[in-house]
Amino acid sequence: AKFPDCIAVAVDNAPAMIARAKERASESTCGERVAVVEGDMTNLDIESIKAEAQARSLVTQNFCDSTEGKPFFSGFDCATILLGTAAHLIRADDAISCFKSVAQLLKTDGVLVLELEHPFDLFDGQLLDAQGDAWDREVGDDKNTKVLVEWGREGDHFDVETHVVERTVGINVVDEKGSPKNGFVPVEETVRCKIWTAPEITLLGKLSGMKVVATFGDMATEIPLCHEDAHNMIVVLKRDE
């Protein structure tokens, strides 16, 4: 609603996430301007994404260029890979493939925004002495239901050569007594995450036709990467024309 002339295409490889994203889009006032497609970020279907964007471009005349009075999609202004999702690009080849595809989808002055783990997590030894983290959240207005999340566990393996950590990730839904809610079966998996450093992202950008134009320590431009309140590493890349 804040940007009535914008369109968006979301990509995910999990059917449940796709269904939820479509549901949220339809509940909002911008549903007709948002496309949700199934895809793999290591092998993005560029033509399919462009086709979805073109279809949404017919909704607003202001977003796209026009030819013979008809709007056409000329590239995205911004692409985002947030919440540490890029950590699932374990292999350098997969990361390069992803970055190259994004670069092809951006306008000449378009940007890619990455949200990654802060390098302090790598260099201060925390990953070698894994302790993990956990938190809980109430579900909407239901004060008697909580979602418990475990992100990492003591003893999780970290490979010092590849910078890949094998994190134990758990999710549970409990009632006010701490018992599983409505028979919910707790979920626990081991998730492999790559800890990327800033120089590596710079190199990946160069190999993909992009360059780093800014870094931040959080989703706030006033917090630099070296600030004591920096919790993440935000990297902004732009097509290197």
Side-chain angles (χ1 to χ4, degrees), residues 41-42 81 85-92 94-95 98-99 194 196:
M41 66 178 175
T42 67
I81 306 178
T85 303
H88 300 300
L89 296 168
I90 302 296
R91 299 172 60 251
D94 289 339
C98 177
F99 283 27
K194 167 78 171 181
W196 292 103

Side-chain angles (χ1 to χ4, degrees), residues 107-212:
K107 288 183 176 179
T108 302
D109 58 349
V111 297
L112 166 62
V113 180
L114 303 174
E115 182 181 17
L116 301 161
E117 289 192 47
H118 198 285
F120 281 161
D121 295 342
L122 175 62
F123 294 113
D124 71 354
Q126 287 187 29
L127 292 171
L128 287 174
D129 186 25
Q131 299 297 319
D133 195 8
W135 61 90
D136 61 71
R137 294 290 186 274
E138 293 179 349
V139 179
D141 296 327
D142 186 354
K143 303 296 183 181
N144 297 321
T145 303
K146 287 186 176 181
V147 177
L148 309 180
V149 179
E150 180 184 22
W151 180 251
R153 183 179 296 173
E154 183 177 358
D156 283 350
H157 177 68
F158 174 69
D159 190 316
V160 296
E161 182 176 358
T162 63
H163 294 178
V164 172
V165 58
E166 297 181 359
R167 280 201 174 96
T168 303
V169 178
I171 300 176
N172 198 3
V173 180
V174 299
D175 58 23
E176 68 278 10
K177 296 181 181 179
S179 301
K181 183 81 171 184
N182 298 328
F184 181 87
V185 179
V187 177
E188 182 177 304
E189 294 184 3
T190 299
V191 180
R192 301 181 74 232
C193 299
K194 167 78 171 181
I195 312 301
W196 292 103
T197 64
E200 287 175 317
I201 296 299
T202 297
L203 180 57
L204 289 173
K206 288 183 176 180
L207 293 172
S208 308
M210 295 188 287
K211 60 182 178 181
V212 174

Side-chain angles (χ1 to χ4, degrees), residues 26-79:
S26 65
E27 292 172 350
S28 71
T29 59
C30 60
E32 61 182 358
R33 292 183 283 108
V34 176
V36 183
V37 300
E38 183 173 359
D40 186 336
M41 66 178 175
T42 67
N43 185 27
L44 291 173
D45 187 338
I46 295 175
E47 294 307 316
S48 175
I49 294 173
K50 285 183 177 179
E52 291 289 351
Q54 171 64 28
R56 289 342 185 250
S57 73
L58 298 175
V59 176
T60 170
Q61 301 288 323
N62 295 329
F63 176 78
C64 297
D65 298 322
S66 62
T67 178
E68 298 180 355
K70 297 180 180 180
F72 70 93
F73 175 70
S74 56
F76 290 99
D77 294 293
C78 179

